[in-house]
Amino acid sequence: MNIAENYIGATTPSSPKTAYMLRLADNALILGQRLSEMCGHAPEMELDLALTNISLDLIGQAKLLFEHILTLEDLAPNADVLALTRPQDQYTNLLLVAQPNVDFAHIVLRQYLFSTMQKIQYEALLGSSDKTLAAIAEKSLKEIAYHIRFAKSWVLRLGDGTPESSERMADALDCLWRFTGEMFERDNIIEQAEVSGLSTDFTSSYEDWQMEVKDGLAEAGGLVAPEVGQMIMGGHKGQHDEHLGHILSDMQFMQLRHPGLQW
Amino acid sequence: MYSTDLRTDKEKKSADQQVLPTSSQNDAKLWDAFQKRIDKGDVIEAKDAMPEKYRATLLRQISQHAHSEIVGQLPEGNWVTRAPTLKRKLILLAKIQDEAGHGLYLYSAAETLGRSRDDMVADLLSGKAKYSTIFNYPAPCWADIGTIGWLVDGAAIVNQIPLCRCSYGPYARAMVRVCKEESFHQRQGYEIVTTLAQGTPEQKAMAQDSLNRFWWPSLMMFGPSDSASTHSSQNMKWKIKRHSNDVLRQRFIDATVPQAEILGLTIPDADLKWNEKRGSYDFGDIDWTEFWAVIKDGGLCGKDRIRARRAAAKDGVWVRAAAEAYVQKQSAKEQAA
Amino acid sequence: MTKNWHLYEVFIRSKNGLAHKHAGSVHAQDAETAVLSARDLYTRRGEASSLWIMKSADIIASDPGEVGELFDPADDKIYRHPTFYTVPDGVKNM
């Protein structure tokens, strides 16, 4: 803790553009990190390769984004310091991506909910005023299409499989659905990203997304999204639940324990 | 190495006494014809007639090799979430993923000999099947990720290249694929160690400490001296094995010592010195008591490794059942339509 | 452990213009998961432009015991190969 407090190698973005890209990068990083926990532990050896592949895609996306951010604003000496040293409240990822790998049902549902949103979010970047960002989005969209295919095919199988698998899917849905509203939450950063031409408005697709996903869930043995009194928000503002801190204590371990070294 | 016979002498003897199913008269004829094929350089394929012993030996060796790849994911997996940079995290993930892939190639090759992967995995989880002792040593420090790539994968390559010419086709083909993919593993490990050796004194100390811990276990990977063993010569005759354990071990030492010297790291062996006459390094005695103890008890990490694999297998049961139930529902729907 | 999967054989076309070549096998419950697994297992290094996947059980293989009767008779039909024929010196494009 002391080290973390003493060594903060990265500063907070001052422009809404870099702040927006940092969100995208943090989402990819944290979900990639979560999935990497499964490496060597997935429920099937074939699934071990599949989850690792998705993790590699996401961390790769994050790396490109962090590197690009640094060309726009001098937030840190390098992408690793930016990605791996910030205090918890400066991570602006969605709460959804930090949710734990409770079981394979949680893992594939989290992926399905996130990747279907990420597709829409990245499509809104294809005509971006920032050509590098548009190129990163274009490359990532191919990966995302595969993530959706993988996740959806397992949501279907688990949802419409055995009573046990369907119960596990229902539990996952009950836990994770509450975090989906945040994915389309509008705030000042998004509005400015739109005004500056960085991204078109993807949040207006919220209803389309809901329809698509609810159809997918219905197909999966009739899964129904729970009624949620109020969607849980906070990630964009750096207000996280109890999970992110544990992710960070692993992820930041080397950078904070040995600041400024080459590895 | 992964393919070294890890059975104790007692186990080998009792296996020898076991009567194998085929009748002995036919067997003698078959053995003769079979040996002629091998001598001619023929490659044996899955459905070809083969002596039961050849099949059993290969099955044991290939499945043990596969288990080693799968269990071998775990010590490195211990550092995936804590890798120091994004680049290192990506490389490490890709490398461990390759190991899972290699496990799968090898299980497939073993399955061609008539045993299912589920049965082989069950033997691993019950403790009946063995895997390389090296993976029962802990990787408590980041430098170990470098050392594992450098030494463990380095030893693997020395052992595996000859296996690409193994007489059994499916194994040889799997090994060609494995070797092709694995050539990056040793280099990435050496690169990590190089970075540490050229870094701060603390980093260099990490690298040295790791080398100290992994050097001897790496040499043990090749297995005990086997020049006098009858099993070894039979395997050589069948071209399952191409070189003795000692020859491979020496080859590894001769290749690795200069790599350590370049980095200014010290091999933890006071007796290590260049022998001009032999054109090779002489080295100290290996502690085989430790080796057999690790085989018997699983060393420091064996219990954790098996527990982790059991947990994964248990998590797989309901997932598999769901996927199967889904398929049946779908085909029932299709039939109804 | 239950055995509720099938063995599938995987064939890879490395680039258009080449034939599909056997790469290995995967375990899967159905066609879709077989495609996903084959992709993740056999094409991590850009090895493929196309995959063929089939159930191993559907392969009809010749019997290795019949190698003699099936294939040996072709060995001495050397007149099927162009090198069997002599052509006068100076004749081109043949």
Side-chain angles (χ1 to χ4, degrees), chain B residues 98 108 111 117-118 181 320, chain C residues 2 5 25 27 44-45 64:
Chain B
D98 275 352
S108 291
E111 282 190 305
R117 183 172 107 194
D118 284 350
E181 296 185 352
R320 274 192 200 196
Chain C
T2 50
W5 44 261
S25 52
H27 287 185
R44 301 196 301 285
R45 288 173 168 79

Side-chain angles (χ1 to χ4, degrees), chain B residues 24-149:
Chain B
S24 58
Q25 274 227 321
N26 285 341
D27 234 28
K29 251 187 176 167
L30 176 64
W31 278 52
D32 211 36
F34 184 77
Q35 190 60 51
K36 277 197 185 113
R37 287 191 64 191
I38 301 260
D39 293 343
K40 224 170 55 180
D42 256 14
V43 176
I44 308 303
E45 292 295 346
K47 291 184 147 190
D48 293 355
M50 62 184 87
E52 266 318 302
K53 234 180 197 157
Y54 177 84
R55 181 192 302 277
T57 302
L58 273 168
L59 196 53
R60 193 187 60 246
Q61 175 167 329
I62 304 171
S63 59
Q64 180 184 297
H65 195 159
H67 299 328
S68 299
E69 297 281 358
I70 296 299
V71 175
Q73 292 185 277
L74 298 171
E76 291 173 291
N78 182 39
W79 278 92
V80 161
T81 59
R82 293 178 295 165
T85 68
L86 296 174
K87 180 181 119 181
R88 290 287 171 217
K89 196 186 290 290
L90 289 168
I91 294 171
L92 184 58
L93 266 172
K95 185 195 175 227
I96 302 174
Q97 188 190 40
D98 275 352
E99 279 153 15
H102 297 169
L104 289 176
Y105 303 156
L106 288 160
Y107 281 125
S108 291
E111 282 190 305
T112 61
L113 292 161
R115 193 136 195 269
S116 77
R117 183 172 107 194
D118 284 350
D119 289 345
M120 293 184 258
V121 170
D123 283 351
L124 172 70
L125 301 184
S126 73
K128 192 175 157 207
K130 294 180 163 119
Y131 55 89
S132 181
T133 49
I134 193 76
F135 302 118
N136 284 340
Y137 288 85
C141 163
W142 168 252
D144 297 333
I145 299 308
T147 311
I148 289 172

